[in-house]
Amino acid sequence: LELRKGVTASAVSATRPAANKASEFLSPTQLFEAVGVRIDARKAEGEAFTMNLTFPERRDADRMLVVELSNSALTVLAGFHSPSPDLAITAAFSDLMALFVGSAPPDLSKVSTDGDLSVLLRLKSVLVEFPSTYEVLPGTLRSKL
């Protein structure tokens, strides 16, 4: 409908709860791939780090992840850990997810870390926040919402 009629204010307000709920259905790999899409290459220029993430409650390849930022690109590798990460985090996926989807801050008392915690701040600092009215296809946004 939005391709034919444009994005409307009612459509934007109706999708906000659904967008927040959708993050509950993402796997850890999918979440960090979505985070990678939000990287601003200019802000990330010169940044480089590696994180090992462990989600003990998971029983699949997403139990262990390597997340690396280099050359202004975020890469995610499931089922492995780097031998020398800048930061290692062990946490329930839901506790860490809150940090990246913009909901309530994670309960850090449940998160185990080893290494440089500034890596998380550096990652968040290079992310772009897309407005809910972001035009995926040019020309679909109505002039006044």
Side-chain angles (χ1 to χ4, degrees):
L1 180 63
E2 68 188 53
L3 292 177
R4 285 178 262 150
K5 305 241 180 197
V7 177
T8 63
S10 61
V12 168
S13 62
T15 58
R16 280 192 183 120
N20 291 337
K21 193 87 168 150
S23 62
E24 294 177 18
F25 301 103
L26 296 175
S27 72
T29 298
Q30 291 169 328
L31 172 70
F32 283 98
E33 287 172 347
V35 168
V37 169
R38 295 174 45 207
I39 297 287
D40 181 328
R42 287 178 294 258
K43 289 182 184 177
E45 192 172 327
E47 287 284 350
F49 57 77
T50 303
M51 289 191 293
N52 283 345
L53 303 175
T54 305
F55 304 108
E57 78 280 10
R58 306 256 339 166
R59 299 289 175 237
D60 56 11
D62 279 347
R63 179 182 174 90
M64 298 183 340
L65 292 180
V66 176
V67 177
E68 179 182 43
L69 180 68
S70 63
N71 297 320
S72 298
L74 193 73
T75 56
V76 183
L77 184 60
F80 298 94
H81 273 164
S82 169
S84 56
D86 297 301
L87 176 63
I89 299 175
T90 301
F93 178 56
S94 59
D95 291 332
L96 193 62
M97 185 175 66
L99 184 67
F100 292 100
V101 295
S103 57
D107 182 356
L108 294 178
S109 67
K110 298 178 183 178
V111 176
S112 170
T113 63
D114 182 25
D116 182 6
L117 282 174
S118 74
V119 166
L120 290 174
L121 297 174
R122 288 167 39 208
L123 176 56
K124 287 207 50 117
S125 74
V126 299
L127 298 181
V128 174
E129 290 294 327
F130 292 106
S132 55
T133 57
Y134 179 76
E135 283 185 286
V136 175
L137 296 172
T140 58
L141 183 64
R142 288 196 174 167
S143 58
K144 295 203 180 205
L145 290 180

